[in-house]
Amino acid sequence: MTEKPFLVSGRNTLIHKIRKLDLLILNGDDNPPIIVTYKGIKRYEGKIPENKRDAKMMDMELVDLTAGEVFSDEKTLLFVQTLNGKEYKIDYSKSDTSMFIKIHQDSFF
């Protein structure tokens, strides 16, 4: 079994841990996808891979928050710790505003 490129922490935190794989975070059908790279985080505008195999070919890990191995349900609030030493707060209730993705903590190391 291969190591996952992220850890689940608590009830609403993901920790990105492998630089060469980006995380493509999906949170139900109505919420916009998020891409987490080693440089940071932003709304994903590209084509969503059909499955995990296609995502791997694009150097991504498909992370469905509603899947049993992650959180099992949609989240309104998500925290993501990135490899650049920042923790981001994603507020899905504000997905159409500039408050959607904000730095929550800088340099948590």
Side-chain angles (χ1 to χ4, degrees), residues 1-84:
M1 185 170 153
T2 60
E3 181 182 13
K4 286 188 177 191
F6 66 93
L7 294 172
V8 174
S9 177
R11 296 186 310 175
N12 63 349
T13 303
L14 288 179
I15 302 168
H16 188 202
K17 58 181 213 175
I18 298 180
R19 182 182 179 107
K20 70 177 185 169
L21 281 178
D22 297 338
L23 302 180
L24 181 57
I25 300 174
L26 306 176
N27 186 24
D29 294 331
D30 299 329
N31 293 309
I34 302 295
I35 185 84
V36 180
T37 68
Y38 71 93
K39 295 180 184 176
I41 186 170
K42 65 182 179 180
R43 184 185 297 246
Y44 182 70
E45 303 292 342
K47 181 182 182 308
I48 296 175
E50 299 271 331
N51 52 47
K52 290 187 180 231
R53 186 176 150 272
D54 290 348
K56 285 269 195 255
M57 291 171 63
M58 297 169 64
D59 294 325
M60 293 180 182
E61 176 77 12
L62 208 52
V63 181
D64 184 354
L65 299 183
T66 63
E69 71 266 7
V70 187
F71 296 122
S72 299
D73 60 351
E74 285 186 27
K75 293 293 177 186
T76 302
L77 202 57
L78 176 71
F79 295 93
V80 178
Q81 291 180 4
T82 58
L83 294 169
N84 66 356

